[in-house]
Amino acid sequence: MSYKYISSDNPLGIIRMDHYEITTQNLDNIHQLYRNLGFTRIQDHFCAKHDSYYYKQNDMDVIITVGKKEGVFQYDYQKNHGDGCCTLAFRVEDADYALKEAIKRGAEKLQDLREETIDGITIRTTAIKGFGDVKNLFVERCGETKQFFSHFSLIENPEKISAENDPKLIRLDHLTNNVYHGDMEKWVQFYKDIYGFIEVRYFDIKGLKTGLFSKVVCTPDRYSVIIPINEPDESNGYSQIQEYLDEHKGEGVQHIAMTTDNIVETVRTLRKNGFEFLDINPIYYELLPKRIPGIESKENIDDLKSESILADGDDVDHYLLQIFTSTQIGPLFYEIITRKAHDGFGEGNFQALFDSIERDQEKRGVLK
Ligand SMILES: [Fe+2]
C-alpha cells in the first residue's frame, strides 16, 4: 500500500487536527460559550454513557460531551479535573498504522481499532494516552460524511449565529499544553519521538505572575498541528502556569488559538457577544512602530489600541496580531490570532507589556 502522508518525517501520517473535545457538567454554559465564539451546534447524540454535541465553525470541529457515569472517559476526566479539554483528535492517513507505529515508538494504547461506516464511507479510530489525562485520538476518514461520527444525529434547523454576531473564526492555529515543572522536556520528547514533530521555538519568560519556560513542537510543515508546551518557572513568584496546574488539578490544555482574517472586526464582534479583554496600557501603542517598523502603514494603530489588540514580529512584512480572552472553562482561555508571515507566539509581548507599564510609571513619576 502506498501512502501520501506517512513518511520518515511524518511517521504516524498526521494530516491535521480532526477535532477536540470538551468535557463538562455545565452544558448550558459551554453551549453559550461556543455560540458566542461563533460555533453552530449541528449534531447530537444521547445514550446511557454520555450526551455529546458536535459544533462547527468554518474549518473547526468541536465535540462537547457530558459524561453520565463513572468509568466513562469524559465523566472521569471531568470528575478529576473539572470542565476542560479531554481529547485532542488528530486526522491521520491510517488509524491502525498510526496506533501500531505509535506503540512501537513508546506510546501507551488507550483504544484498539474501531471501524464504522456511514453511507459506504469508513471512519476508523484508535487512541493513545497523551500528556496529563488527555486522550490522543487518531481519526481516519475515507471521505466526507454527513454525520461527524455514526452515532451522531443531524439536528433539524440548527440555530445559526446571526451575521452581526459572527466573529468569523477560521481554523485552529495552536493548542497550548501546560505541564509540571521539570516535565516540559519529557513532553517535547514525546511529540518528537512518537509523532515525529519538530521543535521550532523556545522561550523563557520572566516576570511576576508570568514566569514560564515554553517550547513549541509541530508537524514538519510548521502549520498543520502546532503545540506549544509550557512549564512554570517558580524562581520569580507564583507562575500563572502553576496556578493553572493547581486549578485544573494536573496537566492540561491551557489555551486554544483560532485564526481570523480581520482581527479588529472579530474582536469587536466578540465584545458584542459578551467577551471581555484585558485593557492594554496606551503607551504600548506609542512604542509599537519602534518595535515593528512600518506596521503603521499596514495596520490602523488606533483600531488596535481601541480593541487592545497586541502585535509582535520582526518587520512590516513579518508580524502577528493577537488577543487573549479571560479564562472561560476553568483556567482554559482562548487566543485570537492573525499571522502576517510570522510563525511566533507573541513572546515579544511579555517584554513589551512590561516596558509600557514601566514607561507609564516613569511618566507619572512613580519610577525614577
Ligand atoms: Fe498562544
Side-chain angles (χ1 to χ4, degrees), residues 62-248:
V62 181
I63 293 177
I64 294 169
T65 294
V66 180
K68 288 183 177 168
K69 60 182 178 192
E70 235 160 278
V72 173
F73 168 71
Q74 295 90 341
Y75 181 92
D76 292 344
Y77 190 101
Q78 201 280 340
K79 199 174 162 208
N80 292 328
H81 301 285
D83 292 0
C85 179
C86 61
T87 306
L88 297 180
F90 301 89
R91 181 88 53 87
V92 296
E93 189 163 22
D94 180 330
D96 189 35
Y97 183 95
L99 175 65
K100 286 179 179 148
E101 187 63 23
I103 289 170
K104 213 194 289 175
R105 292 166 164 264
E108 195 182 317
K109 180 171 75 180
L110 278 189
Q111 184 204 302
D112 278 316
L113 183 66
R114 273 185 213 158
E115 267 193 45
E116 52 189 78
T117 303
I118 304 169
D119 300 333
I121 294 166
T122 304
I123 301 175
R124 308 203 308 163
T125 58
T126 53
I128 62 168
K129 193 174 169 353
F131 78 111
D133 287 331
V134 173
K135 182 195 285 186
N136 284 11
L137 188 70
F138 299 134
V139 184
E140 172 190 348
R141 298 180 180 276
C142 300
E144 293 262 329
T145 50
K146 254 190 278 166
Q147 294 140 277
F148 196 55
F149 286 109
S150 60
H151 55 274
F152 280 108
S153 309
L154 306 189
I155 294 173
E156 262 178 62
N157 303 319
E159 200 188 338
K160 288 204 175 106
I161 198 151
S162 65
E164 63 178 48
N165 292 102
D166 181 0
K168 297 193 176 81
L169 296 167
I170 302 168
R171 71 179 288 272
L172 286 174
D173 186 87
H174 59 273
L175 292 129
T176 296
N177 301 176
N178 277 353
V179 302
Y180 285 117
H181 180 72
D183 274 0
M184 179 180 68
E185 203 49 58
K186 178 177 108 184
W187 291 108
V188 166
Q189 218 51 48
F190 169 88
Y191 285 112
K192 281 162 87 172
D193 290 346
I194 294 173
Y195 283 77
F197 283 2
I198 58 168
E199 189 180 325
V200 287
R201 264 173 196 258
Y202 171 79
F203 40 100
D204 166 8
I205 292 152
K206 295 235 181 280
L208 207 60
K209 290 281 280 174
T210 58
L212 63 98
F213 297 114
S214 190
K215 284 192 172 184
V216 180
V217 291
C218 62
T219 43
D221 64 0
R222 295 166 182 256
Y223 175 78
S224 301
V225 179
I226 302 174
I227 300 184
I229 302 171
N230 298 326
E231 72 171 13
D233 170 12
E234 292 300 291
S235 63
N236 212 351
Y238 185 46
S239 164
Q240 58 164 306
I241 309 303
Q242 190 57 48
E243 192 179 342
Y244 173 99
L245 294 165
D246 291 346
E247 189 176 343
H248 191 64

Side-chain angles (χ1 to χ4, degrees), residues 174 176 228 254-255 257 322 324 333 335 337 345:
H174 59 273
T176 296
Q254 179 210 34
H255 74 267
Q322 66 182 169
F324 300 92
F333 57 91
E335 174 182 350
I337 185 166
F345 296 87

Side-chain angles (χ1 to χ4, degrees), residues 260-267 309 321-323 336-338:
T260 168
D261 285 340
N262 187 339
I263 195 164
V264 173
E265 281 307 315
T266 292
V267 171
I309 293 163
L321 303 170
Q322 66 182 169
I323 194 166
I336 313 302
I337 185 166
T338 294

Side-chain angles (χ1 to χ4, degrees), residues 23-50:
T23 178
T24 182
Q25 291 292 327
N26 301 293
L27 180 68
D28 289 349
N29 290 351
I30 306 293
H31 171 70
Q32 197 51 53
L33 170 64
Y34 271 80
R35 272 193 68 71
N36 292 342
L37 285 169
F39 286 80
T40 304
R41 177 154 87 187
I42 52 177
Q43 298 176 23
D44 56 20
H45 162 78
F46 307 99
C47 72
K49 289 181 181 173
H50 46 69

